[in-house]
Amino acid sequence: MVAQTELSDDQIDRVFHALATATRRDILRRTLQREQSISALAADYDMSFAAVQKHIAVLEAAELVVKRAEGRERLVRADPGMIARARALLAQYEDLWRARIDRLDALLAEPEN
């Protein structure tokens, strides 16, 4: 089986939309450290349980977290695979811009006639 590395435009949009909010970035950070219940996550935010569930749903739609049932609880953990794919995309953008800056530096270093 070949692992997919390229993200579709829709996946890219969902990932960056999910990361655009500090609460979702914090949930992602916390679930990278360890799997947590939605209740445990919600206890640390000054918002309703339903609001935290909505944030998790956005992260799940972006495939940044995985949710599973254990009895009556819903547990959430980050998906390092999708994070790595998003990181690879950002590295491509960085390479593109570094190459452009290098070309600009070379042009500016050329002696004037």
Side-chain angles (χ1 to χ4, degrees), residues 17-85:
H17 170 73
L19 296 175
T21 302
T23 299
R24 290 193 287 263
R25 290 190 304 272
D26 189 57
I27 290 170
L28 185 61
R29 179 190 56 76
R30 292 173 61 194
T31 59
L32 272 168
Q33 294 171 348
R34 72 182 195 291
E35 185 176 57
Q36 295 190 39
S37 71
I38 296 175
S39 299
L41 290 166
D44 290 336
Y45 300 107
D46 188 24
M47 63 181 74
S48 69
F49 180 82
V52 173
Q53 282 182 308
K54 287 180 183 180
H55 282 298
I56 292 169
V58 171
L59 289 165
E60 191 176 24
E63 302 176 49
L64 291 167
V65 299
V66 176
K67 192 168 58 173
R68 71 177 180 89
E70 186 173 289
R72 295 178 65 185
E73 286 193 309
R74 299 295 175 258
L75 300 174
V76 181
R77 66 175 166 77
D79 182 352
M82 180 54 87
I83 294 166
R85 291 168 67 196

Side-chain angles (χ1 to χ4, degrees), residues 80-96:
M82 180 54 87
I83 294 166
R85 291 168 67 196
R87 184 176 181 189
L89 172 70
L90 291 173
Q92 290 174 0
Y93 286 132
E94 180 181 5
D95 292 345
L96 172 75

